[in-house]
Amino acid sequence: MNLVVFSRAWGSGSRQARPSPAHHLGHNLSQIAKTLRSTERSTMNITQQKTACGCAAAAARNTKRTAYVAFGSNLGDRVSMIEQACKEMDARGVKVKRTSSLWETEPMYVLEQDRFVNGACEVETDLEPLSLLDQLQDIEKSMGRRKLIDKGPRNIDLDILLYSDRKVGHERLKIPHIGIPERDFVLRPLAELIPTKVIYPSKPWKLVQDYLNELPPASEPLSTLTPICSSVAALNALKANRKTQVMAILNITPDSFSDGGIHTPDSLRGTVLSMVRGGATMIDVGGQSSSPGTPEVSVEEETNRVLPVIELIRSLPETRGVAISVDTYRSSVADAAVQAGADIINDISAGQLDPAMLSTMARLGKTVCLMHMRGTPGTMSKLNDYPDGIIPTIAKELLERVAEAEAAGIRRWRIILDPGLGFAKVGEQNLHVLRHFNELRTWPGLEGFPWLLGSSRKSFIGKVTGVPKPMDRIFGTASTVAAAVQGGADVVRVHDVVEMGQVVKMADAIWRY
């Protein structure tokens, strides 16, 4: 209840109502509450503004930008150095999204030094250009780089070529990199990644590919480099005088279409040694038949078949210079085989039959062979319709497999391709692939990859020659191997190593010079 008392107003004879102390107290509390509410609103506005600014700053920090980084090495294990640098970038939050092939090049500027391995990668980063440069230089330092001579020998070299569409003119960093237009070993990897990108905004009509096309022809054309293992020379898919590698087939299965059940524990050592003496530089060990209608064995059975063979090959002094390939589409078998000493993972499904295969390949870091196939071994023969043409379709589907492999983290320089003769292809279709194999090799996006061809003893040879037994198809196989070499194959996968080794030597003498 409000109490009101009447008193004489100062300086006036009238009587007025005067608030009591209690009223003053209520009024003051009301004003205080209003002030507090006003202050709270102001504080909230300030907080909201700070939060908004903080979110904007965080968003700016978390904005992923695309940059292109060049790498090179000419000391030590050059490929290993580059792969370690890529792992370091990933570990520091500079995500390597795609890589070019590796290109082996002669040194520039300082000529008295070993050949370089060069390439480039597309990275995703939230670092600003100078911060990215700091990270790359710290990676070089952590890997033991010592810059004694400008443009001289180095175990690892990392340079920012492009950063989003930015131009940077800092004393430490110039973007676009000043050396791009004159360097074949920079333009060629960039042209694999971004052939239609503009380098200089002032010349929007001129693309990466245009700069590459303007370079004068080199005395010796550059070639890609695909590592196999320390004891087997890398594949140089674009080198005209390269030697064709012979991959020997060693099926440890009772039901393979051609050689099932003939390899026993007692005969294996002699079989392996005869393959090496016949000229095999690779041995492909398989524990699961891919013939149509053949039942799948368990993972344990397949593993138990291939591991002892890999261990045997690794134990023989005579086979120290041979690479071991494991023929499997199961990730756990591939993992176990690599731990036992395999150098190559040869997957007929290119990662399609086991969802964990591509990520496993990426983690293991070995060279892989991705073959073109459709469906499964049991269904592939019915999936042989190619209305858009067999070569364009194989190219399109292999480009998809390559993209999936790269997205999983498999480096481009670790990929071998296989057109998959006899897999989702019947009769004449296989002959068409052989006739037009060079067209497939040079298909846009597939240039520079090495290729493996496996025609040995297959049914399309039997249909043409009229030879029903696979083991008797040696002469027909020899013709397909010669055709494969002429078309540009880098590896031929064969059963009859001695005979096909001679065919390869003769074919190389004719076409690889």
Side-chain angles (χ1 to χ4, degrees):
M1 181 177 71
N2 290 333
L3 299 176
V4 180
V5 294
F6 291 92
S7 64
R8 191 177 298 275
W10 296 348
S12 170
S14 64
R15 297 169 68 89
Q16 296 182 10
R18 184 183 180 192
S20 70
H23 177 83
H24 277 296
L25 179 60
H27 176 75
N28 290 340
L29 288 172
S30 177
Q31 287 298 112
I32 289 169
K34 288 180 180 179
T35 302
L36 286 172
R37 285 195 294 272
S38 176
T39 303
E40 183 179 305
R41 284 195 296 271
S42 298
T43 303
M44 287 176 64
N45 288 338
I46 293 169
T47 302
Q48 289 169 351
Q49 290 173 5
K50 286 183 176 180
T51 301
C53 291
C55 289
R61 287 194 302 270
N62 293 329
T63 299
K64 299 294 186 182
R65 297 180 179 88
T66 298
Y68 293 88
V69 176
F71 42 69
S73 174
N74 75 334
L75 290 177
D77 186 337
R78 300 168 300 171
V79 174
S80 178
M81 287 291 175
I82 290 169
E83 291 180 332
Q84 183 182 339
C86 289
K87 288 179 182 178
E88 286 288 334
M89 283 190 274
D90 279 335
R92 296 174 186 230
V94 182
K95 177 64 178 175
V96 177
K97 301 290 287 184
R98 294 189 300 149
T99 63
S100 71
S101 304
L102 292 180
W103 297 81
E104 191 167 31
T105 66
E106 295 291 343
M108 287 183 71
Y109 312 116
V110 179
L111 303 182
E112 297 299 319
Q113 56 180 320
D114 292 335
R115 290 165 66 88
F116 276 87
V117 171
N118 291 103
C121 60
E122 179 183 283
V123 302
E124 188 178 72
T125 181
D126 55 11
L127 297 174
E128 288 297 305
L130 284 173
S131 297
L132 176 59
L133 177 65
D134 289 338
Q135 284 291 338
L136 297 181
Q137 290 182 343
D138 192 58
I139 290 172
E140 291 177 337
K141 183 178 178 181
S142 71
M143 291 179 60
R145 170 156 184 197
R146 299 293 179 266
K147 194 169 184 178
L148 302 176
I149 304 173
D150 186 37
K151 298 181 177 58
R154 55 253 196 213
N155 64 327
I156 190 65
D157 186 25
L158 301 171
D159 289 310
I160 304 172
L161 300 175
L162 300 168
Y163 182 100
S164 189
D165 292 319
R166 296 255 199 107
K167 182 177 181 181
V168 178
H170 193 273
E171 61 181 4
R172 292 181 57 211
L173 180 63
K174 300 292 188 293
I175 298 177
H177 193 284
I178 58 174
I180 292 177
E182 67 187 42
R183 297 177 181 178
D184 195 351
F185 61 84
V186 173
L187 283 171
R188 210 163 286 278
L190 271 184
E192 287 185 292
L193 295 170
I194 45 171
T196 59
K197 184 175 177 62
V198 171
I199 297 178
Y200 301 103
S202 61
K203 297 180 179 179
W205 61 87
K206 201 165 185 180
L207 312 176
V208 169
Q209 189 67 48
D210 296 325
Y211 286 98
L212 179 60
N213 293 342
E214 288 179 355
L215 288 179
S219 57
E220 181 183 347
L222 297 188
S223 177
T224 54
L225 180 149
T226 302
I228 301 300
C229 64
S230 59
S231 59
V232 174
L235 302 179
N236 298 114
L238 299 179
K239 188 175 287 187
N241 62 351
R242 68 193 186 279
K243 290 185 177 181
T244 308
Q245 304 293 316
V246 175
M247 175 182 278
I249 299 169
L250 185 53
N251 286 323
I252 313 302
T253 54
D255 47 12
S256 289
F257 82 100
S258 172
D259 56 353
I262 68 170
H263 302 304
T264 66
D266 293 335
S267 68
L268 270 176
R269 186 178 184 277
T271 299
V272 168
L273 293 179
S274 68
M275 289 175 169
V276 175
R277 286 193 291 266
T281 53
M282 308 174 187
I283 298 177
D284 193 38
V285 181
Q288 164 67 54
S289 175
S290 57
S291 300
T294 303
E296 281 193 335
V297 299
S298 67
V299 172
E300 292 75 18
E301 176 64 21
E302 184 182 356
T303 305
N304 290 337
R305 287 176 178 180
V306 301
L307 289 193
V309 180
I310 293 172
E311 291 165 355
L312 170 67
I313 298 171
R314 277 285 164 259
S315 71
L316 298 175
E318 297 91 341
T319 57
R320 286 175 183 164
V322 173
I324 300 175
S325 168
V326 59
D327 178 7
T328 185
Y329 49 78
R330 289 165 162 165
S331 58
S332 60
V333 177
D335 196 336
V338 168
Q339 303 310 321
D343 306 292
I344 302 167
I345 301 169
N346 182 14
D347 181 1
I348 61 170
S349 78
Q352 302 305 293
L353 295 181
D354 182 344
M357 180 56 110
L358 293 179
S359 60
T360 298
M361 287 173 165
R363 175 174 55 81
L364 294 172
K366 297 295 183 180
T367 294
V368 304
C369 184
L370 306 179
M371 194 187 80
H372 177 266
M373 185 180 77
R374 289 171 163 182
T376 68
T379 63
M380 63 184 181
S381 295
K382 298 177 182 178
L383 302 174
N384 60 348
D385 189 24
Y386 298 90
D388 296 326
I390 191 165
I391 295 297
T393 305
I394 292 174
K396 174 180 175 292
E397 293 176 4
L398 278 178
L399 284 167
E400 292 169 358
R401 301 292 85 80
V402 169
E404 291 169 0
E406 290 185 304
I410 299 171
R411 308 306 183 200
R412 190 178 184 88
W413 58 78
R414 285 285 181 182
I415 297 175
I416 300 171
L417 298 178
D418 181 344
L421 295 177
F423 289 80
K425 301 160 199 74
V426 296
E428 173 69 23
Q429 291 176 330
N430 296 287
L431 301 177
H432 188 88
V433 172
L434 280 170
R435 290 188 199 111
H436 299 276
F437 177 51
N438 191 55
E439 181 184 346
L440 183 60
R441 285 180 59 246
T442 56
W443 196 270
L446 298 180
E447 313 100 322
F449 282 110
W451 289 79
L452 180 151
L453 258 75
S455 57
S456 185
R457 300 181 179 178
K458 289 190 172 174
S459 60
F460 75 91
I461 296 174
K463 289 180 181 178
V464 171
T465 60
V467 178
K469 292 183 179 179
M471 294 184 71
D472 295 336
R473 296 171 184 162
I474 293 178
F475 294 113
T477 296
S479 296
T480 63
V481 168
V485 174
Q486 182 184 20
D490 300 273
V491 183
V492 291
R493 182 177 179 271
V494 300
H495 296 88
D496 306 292
V497 178
V498 173
E499 294 86 349
M500 297 311 127
Q502 294 177 16
V503 171
V504 162
K505 284 181 180 178
M506 199 66 227
D508 279 351
I510 297 170
W511 287 295
R512 303 281 172 88
Y513 60 91

